[in-house]
Amino acid sequence: MMVSTKGRYALRVIIDLAQHKDEGYVSLKSISERQKISLKYLEMIAASLNRAGLVQSQRGKEGGYMLTKPAAEYTVGAVLRAAEGDLAPVSCLDCGENTCERADSCITLPMWQRLDGLINGYLDSVSIEDMLKGEL
Amino acid sequence: MMVSTKGRYALRVIIDLAQHKDEGYVSLKSISERQKISLKYLEMIAASLNRAGLVQSQRGKEGGYMLTKPAAEYTVGAVLRAAEGDLAPVSCLDCGENTCERADSCITLPMWQRLDGLINGYLDSVSIEDMLKGEL
DNA sequence: ATAATTCCTATGATATAACTGGGAATAGCG
DNA sequence: CGCTATTCCCAGTTATATCATAGGAATTAT
């Protein structure tokens, strides 16, 4: 599995925030109830999104999270990478580090690289707004 | 990671068999030495490929494995699926079982389905012979 | 018979995923 | 000021998957 629950949940968080973007800061508690994801797990995911600058937070009472830009400017790829790290389909391609000693002679490497390009290209071409509008 | 060592090794086994297709049955011991993969691990992988009908085996002395068809007729997708099971990028799509109770209302599902189609389409379009020839 | 092989089942070791828990820091509100 | 709702931080836990390894039975050419 290339994308775990962490990434899928992150996507749902961003979508939820987009759907409630006119309500000021949205608390994780409310997202937790709507999305049926535990508050504690959401905290971890929100922290990743925050670190990546995809959301902004407000602490204290009446606090929560909101998007930092319009939904059209979020790509699925960017959200998943913020939550999951790299989206490489094989470890050979992870983080650009090509530590495999047989890389030079590996006849499968070009195939993996093309696959990786295909996956990232597609995920970066789909925006959150596309999904909200059902435009796929 | 979508493709683990099991799948990558399976690919290397098929490639190795293709490279030695004129030498009769090829033993796992020889593949093990060439590919630097433990014999015991190879046994598991070869068993999967055998069950899927991608290779045929001969037991006993002078035994081993050989391909059941020309290299051009093996796709990367078929080999990986034989070794790994499903290649779905998210568990939602695994094995066609869509047990997610929010599937009907899930606005991300069409995106995952397209991604899955893209990945499998590409992997099924590349043959072992393509890689051997460096035609990518 | 012997040696080389596949075949079968079980076990262990390590890593990753998927959460859970406790509590500190912050900020609005009465 | 005191209360409460929230994010923030870090650590611990459990479950599952990955990556093998181990031992031995069955088979077959020589």
Side-chain angles (χ1 to χ4, degrees):
Chain A
M1 222 54 50
M2 196 174 51
V3 179
S4 66
T5 58
K6 209 166 155 183
R8 295 202 322 274
Y9 288 178
L11 215 46
R12 281 163 61 188
V13 167
I14 296 291
I15 289 169
D16 193 285
L17 289 177
Q19 287 171 330
H20 298 87
K21 65 171 185 291
D22 302 324
E23 303 169 20
Y25 287 104
V26 177
S27 74
L28 290 185
K29 184 152 175 282
S30 67
I31 298 178
S32 167
E33 286 160 2
R34 279 192 295 269
Q35 302 291 333
K36 311 289 181 200
I37 302 171
S38 93
L39 179 63
K40 280 301 184 179
Y41 202 22
L42 277 179
E43 284 181 2
M44 286 185 52
I45 289 159
S48 301
L49 296 174
N50 205 0
R51 255 179 268 116
L54 297 179
V55 298
Q56 62 184 124
S57 68
Q58 168 71 21
R59 298 175 76 165
K61 195 162 181 174
E62 306 291 295
Y65 294 86
M66 63 168 59
L67 299 184
T68 54
K69 50 188 182 180
E73 292 177 30
Y74 288 85
T75 69
V76 173
V79 174
L80 294 181
R81 276 189 295 270
E84 300 261 2
D86 209 309
L87 295 176
V90 288
S91 56
C92 317
L93 302 173
D94 217 351
C95 289
E97 291 182 24
N98 220 317
T99 44
C100 177
E101 76 270 356
R102 69 182 69 231
D104 293 335
S105 61
C106 180
I107 70 174
T108 64
L109 187 55
M111 183 273 298
W112 294 126
Q113 286 168 335
R114 290 203 173 205
L115 178 62
D116 189 48
L118 205 64
I119 290 168
N120 282 278
Y122 175 67
L123 292 176
D124 287 340
S125 78
V126 180
S127 77
I128 299 297
E129 197 178 35
D130 292 336
M131 291 192 295
L132 287 170
K133 288 187 174 172
E135 282 173 5
L136 281 174
Chain B
M1 221 55 50
M2 196 176 50
V3 178
S4 66
T5 59
K6 208 167 156 183
R8 296 203 321 274
Y9 288 177
L11 215 46
R12 281 163 61 187
V13 167
I14 296 291
I15 289 168
D16 193 285
L17 289 177
Q19 287 170 329
H20 298 87
K21 64 170 186 290
D22 302 323
E23 303 171 19
Y25 287 103
V26 178
S27 74
L28 291 185
K29 183 151 176 280
S30 67
I31 298 179
S32 167
E33 285 159 3
R34 280 191 295 269
Q35 302 292 332
K36 311 288 180 200
I37 302 171
S38 93
L39 179 62
K40 282 299 186 182
Y41 202 24
L42 276 179
E43 285 181 2
M44 285 186 53
I45 289 158
S48 300
L49 296 174
N50 205 0
R51 254 180 267 116
L54 296 179
V55 299
Q56 62 183 122
S57 67
Q58 168 72 22
R59 299 175 74 166
K61 194 162 182 175
E62 305 292 294
Y65 295 86
M66 61 167 60
L67 299 184
T68 54
K69 51 188 182 182
E73 292 177 30
Y74 288 84
T75 69
V76 173
V79 174
L80 293 181
R81 276 188 296 271
E84 300 263 2
D86 210 309
L87 296 176
V90 288
S91 56
C92 316
L93 302 172
D94 216 352
C95 289
E97 290 182 22
N98 220 317
T99 44
C100 177
E101 74 272 353
R102 68 182 69 228
D104 293 335
S105 61
C106 180
I107 71 173
T108 64
L109 187 55
M111 182 273 297
W112 295 126
Q113 286 168 336
R114 288 202 176 206
L115 178 62
D116 189 49
L118 204 65
I119 291 169
N120 282 279
Y122 175 68
L123 293 177
D124 288 340
S125 79
V126 179
S127 77
I128 299 298
E129 198 176 35
D130 291 338
M131 291 192 296
L132 287 171
K133 288 187 176 172
E135 284 173 2
L136 279 174

